[in-house]
Amino acid sequence: MSLISDIKKYETVSRRLEPGAADRRASREKVVAYTEDFLERIGEIPTFVGSHDGGIGLLTDPIGEEPANLDALLELVRHNVDRPGLNPASGGHLGYIPGGGLYHSALGDYMAAIANRFAGVNFGSPGAVRMENMLLDWMRDVVGYPAGTAGNLTSGGSIANLIGIVAARDESGIRAADFARSVIYLTEQAHHSVDKAIRIAGLGEAVLRYVATDDRHRMSAEHLEQSILADKETGLIPLMVISAAGTTDAGAVDPLAAIGDIAAHHGIWHHVDGAYGAFFALCDEGKDVLTGMDKSDSLVMDPHKGLFLPYGTGAVLVKNRSRLLESFHYQANYMQDAIRDEGSPSPADLSPELTKHFRGLRLWLPLKLHGLAPFRAALSEKILLARYFHARLQEMEGFEVGPFPDLSLVTYRYIPRRGDPDAFNERLIAEIHKDGRVFLSSTMLRGRFTLRLAVLSFRTHLDTIDLTLEILKEKAKMIEKSF
Ligand SMILES: *Cc1c(COP(=O)(O)O)cnc(C)c1O
């Protein structure tokens, strides 16, 4: 009897986790009002708010036993989370590689979280798995990969790179004893997630052969070929070449067709990191630059970059489906009911993850609701905005621009009348961060402090670029006075 009364006692409290319809409506309306306010003001709120104590208010309100008030919680989020730091949902985000935040993706996430379908295994949710695989097949067609390609919707480009690199490692058949003699070809411009993935894949001891780049920061195919021949000569094992369809630093697209030919000729896996650039294959302006991408063996593309999704969705495609399966399939006694069938492969058999967020719905819903035309147009627009910025900046006194953009990223710096250009540009970027209306970032290119403009938010339009040009002019002039 006491067991039942104890159960009932706990039940009374645990049932608080299931709000009734009226409660749901009330909290939903408050959350929606909060997000509506955010969206209505997105054009005015700063893109960047520098802060050393951002989020500190959360700590003064610790997790406790008793329920809190939703209005108070939303204020905590407004002040501590959605204000300090970078605002990636803003069209003024022109630093790093900008993110997106499509509205209907949020609705897809909402639905996915409520129904909580288990998207890892076909048996658990054949519909969710089919939706994800359908999206991957669509991406396969976008980039021109053949039928028989397998893929996975990942959390982002980093895990996607890891999956591709592991597949390449396993395909080569090398054993641990060979790792130190194996060579991975890449450039200094490779994203740091590639380095990280190489280490996680156990290849930290492999030889990283940094291939020379040309004056536009692209891998030299000629030097790649020479390096492979030289390595073979000395008894090393050329393992894989990792190229970029759009580098993060400079937006450079490596000569993918030439690299693909060389890799095929030498029987080496060619992995393309297209986290930033691969989706530009959707627009005419991007397609030409990406010629040859389809000749690679594996490819990374990030819907949370090139398709403007909120953070949390990357993708990897691997041409050889059985290779991906062999590297990532799982066996577990307790999963014996989840029989693998021949139809739609289970994501859990193609990636390190088992249980995962159902990432398909947040991608499928906006693609279907909007149709592809606005996505293609937005990508074309980004490329043309970068070209516009590149052209206009050249007319502005004191600015030195980098190469004509391959995609939507421009590098540049200000050359002051006197003094150290590096120090000047460091001041310039600090002033722009302090101003906060737009966010730009900087990098070191060939040892020089260089500014970048990366256009990829669906909210960035011509007025944002004009404002950026104005701010650059204004701040440069101001610093010149005291430099
Ligand atoms: C962003 C990026 C990555 C990493 O992707 P995440 O989604 O941030 O994990 C890898 N490579 C390139 C070229 C990138 O631009």
Side-chain angles (χ1 to χ4, degrees), residues 133-146:
N133 286 332
M134 168 192 171
L135 288 161
L136 288 158
D137 286 351
W138 169 72
M139 290 182 209
R140 170 199 73 195
D141 295 342
V142 168
V143 299
Y145 264 30

Side-chain angles (χ1 to χ4, degrees), residues 40 54 191 402:
E40 285 304 311
H191 190 269

Side-chain angles (χ1 to χ4, degrees), residues 97 156-158 161 191 193 246 248 273 275-276 302 304-305:
I97 302 292
S158 300
N161 270 324
H191 190 269
S193 66
T248 315
D273 179 359
Y276 155 52
D302 255 1
H304 66 201
K305 289 179 179 167

Side-chain angles (χ1 to χ4, degrees), residues 217-480:
H217 313 290
R218 298 176 299 197
M219 184 185 286
S220 155
E222 201 176 307
H223 187 241
L224 171 67
E225 172 107 65
Q226 289 163 2
S227 305
I228 293 171
L229 289 171
D231 287 335
K232 278 185 163 172
E233 193 91 344
T234 54
L236 297 177
I237 310 167
L239 188 63
M240 65 181 102
V241 45
I242 302 175
S243 66
T247 60
T248 315
D249 252 5
V253 177
D254 289 328
L256 302 171
I259 294 170
D261 286 342
I262 293 167
H265 177 75
H266 292 280
I268 312 172
W269 188 286
H270 179 202
H271 174 77
V272 177
D273 179 359
Y276 155 52
F279 275 112
F280 281 101
L282 277 169
C283 72
D284 291 337
E285 290 82 355
K287 214 175 284 171
D288 289 346
V289 188
L290 297 169
T291 304
M293 187 161 69
D294 57 326
K295 290 187 185 172
S296 59
D297 297 287
S298 54
L299 173 69
V300 166
M301 49 209 306
D302 255 1
H304 66 201
K305 289 179 179 167
L307 287 180
F308 322 118
L309 257 61
Y311 292 134
T313 306
V316 61
L317 298 174
V318 174
K319 252 185 205 167
N320 181 345
R321 170 179 297 197
S322 44
R323 161 47 47 216
L324 195 59
L325 262 171
E326 277 164 41
S327 290
F328 289 100
H329 74 274
Y330 66 93
Q331 276 137 353
N333 292 341
Y334 65 84
M335 293 294 293
Q336 64 187 3
D337 299 331
I339 317 143
R340 278 185 284 282
D341 66 28
E342 295 298 309
S344 236
S346 293
D349 274 325
L350 302 166
S351 92
E353 296 180 282
L354 174 57
T355 307
K356 66 184 193 96
H357 178 59
F358 173 20
R359 300 180 181 118
L361 205 46
R362 61 187 348 242
L363 177 51
W364 180 83
L365 197 60
L367 283 179
K368 292 296 294 174
L369 270 173
H370 293 301
L372 288 178
F375 288 91
R376 295 188 201 278
L379 289 163
S380 294
E381 182 192 14
K382 302 311 130 194
I383 288 183
L384 298 188
L385 287 174
R387 291 180 187 172
Y388 171 79
F389 179 83
H390 187 260
R392 294 299 308 278
L393 201 63
Q394 282 176 65
E395 299 160 1
M396 267 163 58
E397 210 187 307
F399 283 94
E400 179 186 88
V401 299
F404 183 81
D406 278 346
L407 296 169
S408 68
L409 209 155
V410 180
T411 57
Y412 54 96
R413 63 203 307 251
Y414 188 83
I415 308 297
R417 278 192 290 258
R418 57 192 168 272
D420 176 24
D422 280 1
F424 190 98
N425 285 282
E426 209 173 329
R427 273 264 313 270
L428 184 52
I429 200 76
E431 287 298 334
I432 286 162
H433 290 176
K434 209 155 74 186
D435 179 273
R437 280 176 289 170
V438 298
F439 181 81
L440 300 169
S441 62
S442 68
T443 188
M444 296 302 290
L445 273 179
R446 305 222 189 280
R448 290 173 169 176
F449 198 98
T450 304
L451 307 187
R452 303 162 66 260
L453 173 105
V455 193
L456 201 58
S457 165
F458 68 102
R459 292 196 173 105
T460 303
H461 304 292
L462 190 56
D463 53 353
T464 328
I465 302 302
D466 280 333
L467 174 66
T468 306
L469 288 161
E470 223 168 88
I471 293 172
L472 279 167
K473 193 174 186 173
E474 173 194 314
K475 300 294 175 197
K477 202 166 150 193
M478 187 196 87
I479 301 169
E480 274 280 20

